[in-house]
Structures are given as structure tokens and as C-alpha cells.
Amino acid sequence: MIFCVEDDEGIRELMIYALSSAGFEAKGFVDGEKFFEALKMERPQLVMLDIMLPGEDGIEILKKLKGKKTTEDIPVIMTTAKGTEYDKVIGLDLGADDYLAKPFGMMEMVSRVKAVLRRVKPKNDSNIFRVGCLELNKGEHTVFVSGERIELTLKEYELLHMFMNNIGRVYTREQLLQSVWGMDYTGETRTVDVHIGTLRSKLKECGDYIETIRGVGYRMEA
């Protein structure tokens, strides 16, 4: 079940139709109040959440979802008006799994939903991660591109592992700094850009797997 929280009736109905056509069950809600009422009765697989809503906006709703143990692990895709990059960053920092900028195509929306649901499936215990011709072996701490071993620094390796373990997820520079460099790091976010640049170069033809999300951060796509 996919919950779509969108106050524009036309967009909401189109989202529900597209998801239903793709084989999902979907329900729509005009605001946060009706959404939370439904959440008491049914737990969705994923929530499509508009930022601009009557009453509570999407950011406040996201805070509530991620602030409760019972709902913190429900994946959320934010939908934003074009150009509101600040809202995208805030949403991702609060735990949103992805975002879509309006206007977006229904095929793209369905594709993003499927990608997020794949990512949140329980992970197996394998130490080997593969994306295209790129392979990372966590147990052996090795990286290969088309069968050729690639030497990475510790931070480059940790960045790559983070991306490969979360294909399709967008990370802000601040999130990458906190996860890879730690809470006590006092340097600038430019450090992330430099390391991403050298990592892409070392990964050769696989360097393009790491995409720059303008004004937000980075993600890995096969």
C-alpha cells in the first residue's frame, strides 16, 4: 500500500492511477490530518509526501513520522515545487529516502517508488556489493572495476561503500561528512566534493555511477 499525501486533487488522482496501473495499492489524502487518521488503521509500504500542504506542511509531517519508533522506518519520497532546493535538503536531512521535483512524470514516479522499495528490503549478509562492472568486497576490503583491483584511501572506500549499500539514495554533503568523517569533523563540505572527484577518477568508467544532484548532494545509480 502506497499513501499519497497531495492536496491537488488532479495530481493526487493521477498518482493513484499510475501506481495502481503498476500493480500497487494506493490511497490519497488531502492533508496531514487525514493521513495520520489512516495511519492508525493501516501501515503503508511507502509514503509519497508533498511539502506544500494545507495545515501541517510536509516537513512537519516527516518530522512526526521519523520521530516515532512505530513509523520511523516507513520510506518517504518527498514531492517539491521546482527550485525549492532548501526544502529538498531539509527533507533528506530529516530522513526522506528520495524526492521528486514538480512537475514530474508518472513513469518516473513509479520507477522511484520501485527503487526505494528495493533498497528498504532486508539486506542479506553478503559482504560483496556489485553495481555494473564495479565490485566492492567488504570482507576483504577490496574494490574492482572490470576485474581490475583499484586502490582507494580509507575515506574514498567508506564513501563508495555507503553509496553501494544504498543505491539510488540521495545524500547531502552534510550527511556524508557526518557518516564518513564523523560528528567532530570541523572542515568544510568542499572536502566531500574533492573526495568524490578523486573517487570518480579512480573508478574509471564506473565513476559516472556517482551522480551529482545539483544543489543537494550525490547518489549512486547503475
Side-chain angles (χ1 to χ4, degrees), residues 136 141 143 150-163 180-181 194-203 210:
L136 182 147
H141 208 274
V143 175
I150 305 298
E151 297 298 331
L152 301 179
T153 66
L154 178 60
K155 297 304 183 189
E156 290 166 353
Y157 176 87
E158 290 178 349
L159 280 169
L160 182 61
H161 176 257
M162 193 168 176
F163 284 130
V180 176
W181 278 264
V194 171
H195 278 75
I196 293 290
T198 57
L199 176 58
R200 280 172 169 160
S201 178
K202 290 182 179 181
L203 294 181
I210 303 174

Side-chain angles (χ1 to χ4, degrees), residues 10 43 50 89 98 140 152 161 193 201:
R43 179 186 171 89
D50 187 22
V89 173
D98 204 349
E140 298 178 359
L152 301 179
H161 176 257
D193 297 329
S201 178

Side-chain angles (χ1 to χ4, degrees), residues 162-196:
M162 193 168 176
F163 284 130
M164 294 186 73
N165 198 33
N166 297 277
I167 298 298
R169 177 172 178 177
V170 181
Y171 286 99
T172 65
R173 291 168 176 82
E174 289 76 14
Q175 286 175 316
L176 293 171
L177 274 176
Q178 183 175 341
S179 297
V180 176
W181 278 264
M183 293 287 290
D184 298 329
Y185 183 75
T186 57
E188 298 180 354
T189 56
R190 176 63 181 163
T191 299
V192 173
D193 297 329
V194 171
H195 278 75
I196 293 290

